Amino acid sequence: MARKLAVIGAGLMGSGIAQVAAQAGWDVVVRDVEEAALHRGVAAARASLERFVAKGKLAGADAEAALARIATTTDLADVGDAEMVVEAVFESLDVKREVFAALDRICRPDAVLASNTSAIPITQIAAFTGRPESVVGTHFFSPVPMMGLCELVRGFKTSDATLAAARDFAESVGKTCIVVNRDVAGFVTTRLVAVLANEAARLVESGVATAEDIDTACQLGFGHKMGPMRTMDLTGIDIMVHAANNIYGDTRDPKFAPPELLARMVSAGDLGRKTGKGFYSYESTA
Ligand SMILES: NC(=O)c1ccc[n+]([C@@H]2O[C@H](COP(=O)([O-])OP(=O)(O)OC[C@H]3O[C@@H](n4cnc5c(N)ncnc54)[C@H](O)[C@@H]3O)[C@@H](O)[C@H]2O)c1
């Protein structure tokens, strides 16, 4: 019998995680609070699978079989028998509290409860349950079908068995894992990217260099595929500021405090690609 995965949240990350798991043979149930989000999530998975088929990287029949393994629901009770649960709802402690408290009530006792949070300490999320040893971070990257990394995050009480099961899941869907041994806010990857983004924005703010030149420096000097300014525009300036603020709030370490320029861009609505303007203009391509 196929193993059952439940994904909570059918947004960008949830649909990607559901897709790669279904491709790997898991029976997947995706739960969202909105039917419309479930439709969008499945449509996104279908579009991604079709791109793989068009490039000759996936057989059409395998794409169809993967889609057939994805079920959707708005009823949280339908995830109760999953052995692995990955939460990918909004990056809000309040929303995650509600989800994990409910999962604790309905999931089978041996289920692994994973969060895809990019910055919230797992120990905080685990404390919303009566089984913190079963809670772990599985931080996937966007777009999930393309990106090879899963950052596994150990909370204060995460058991070795839970960490091993999370690794087993991530590797089964084709990802390479790194382990974050203490769940410092932002883990490894979001801390690194927040510091780079903040410093890049400070260099622009203080007139030391242009956004274009900073991107060129990182691409040609360090071999980064994309510089920090274009990365911020793609991710969303608001998302970057939110993540950096989460880390700053937890650590009070000023290197994580977003500079004024980023805060003003958020207030002004210059959020990057999604609004047509960030460090670059996307009017013609938006
Ligand atoms: N977007 C990224 O690049 C990225 C990368 C790594 C990690 N993350 C993290 O993954 C998580 C999800 O991010 P996203 O970009 O997919 O968000 P998103 O906004 O695209 O999707 C969130 C989904 O959660 C649903 N939702 C809200 N409350 C819910 C509930 N109680 N039960 C079920 N579904 C609920 C929403 O309807 C929405 O469909 C966040 O914690 C985020 O920080 C995001």
Side-chain angles (χ1 to χ4, degrees), residues 11-13 31-32 88-91 96 116 118 139-140 142:
L12 180 68
M13 299 304 290
R31 191 265 177 165
D32 204 289
V89 303
F90 301 130
E91 187 75 338
K96 295 200 193 281
N116 191 56
S118 19
H139 182 202
F140 290 87
S142 175

Side-chain angles (χ1 to χ4, degrees), residues 35-233:
E35 280 289 350
L38 290 168
H39 286 135
R40 279 195 303 274
V42 171
R46 179 182 294 280
S48 169
L49 288 165
E50 282 170 357
R51 282 193 295 276
F52 281 112
V53 172
K55 285 183 194 155
K57 292 183 173 169
L58 182 70
D62 290 341
E64 284 308 318
L67 281 170
R69 279 192 284 270
I70 302 177
T72 60
T73 185
T74 52
D75 185 355
L76 193 62
D78 292 339
V79 314
D81 60 344
E83 69 174 79
M84 178 83 205
V85 182
V86 178
E87 165 276 314
V89 303
F90 301 130
E91 187 75 338
S92 144
L93 202 56
D94 286 342
V95 181
K96 295 200 193 281
R97 175 187 295 116
E98 179 198 316
V99 168
F100 275 85
L103 289 175
D104 190 27
R105 282 195 300 277
I106 62 150
C107 287
R108 57 191 236 194
D110 61 341
V112 168
L113 307 183
S115 174
N116 191 56
T117 177
S118 19
I120 301 173
I122 296 303
T123 308
Q124 256 177 296
I125 293 173
F128 302 142
T129 75
R131 44 172 126 173
E133 69 285 354
S134 303
V135 180
V136 62
T138 50
H139 182 202
F140 290 87
F141 292 77
S142 175
V144 179
M146 305 297 296
M147 304 300 271
L149 182 65
C150 180
E151 194 175 25
L152 296 177
V153 187
R154 199 189 254 285
F156 200 68
K157 294 194 172 172
T158 305
S159 71
D160 290 346
T162 298
L163 193 75
R167 178 188 285 278
D168 177 58
F169 165 68
E171 289 181 349
S172 82
V173 303
K175 305 306 175 196
T176 298
C177 297
I178 66 158
V179 177
V180 182
N181 289 315
R182 278 192 307 119
D183 63 342
V184 290
F187 318 134
V188 169
T189 53
T190 308
R191 276 173 102 97
L192 289 174
V193 83
V195 170
L196 179 62
N198 281 354
E199 187 56 25
R202 281 188 200 103
L203 290 171
V204 171
E205 185 175 57
S206 57
V208 172
T210 63
E212 289 85 348
D213 279 359
I214 288 169
D215 278 346
T216 301
C218 289
Q219 285 179 271
L220 301 187
F222 303 147
H224 292 183
K225 273 195 186 147
M226 195 186 270
M229 322 319 281
R230 282 201 191 280
T231 303
M232 278 191 267
D233 276 4

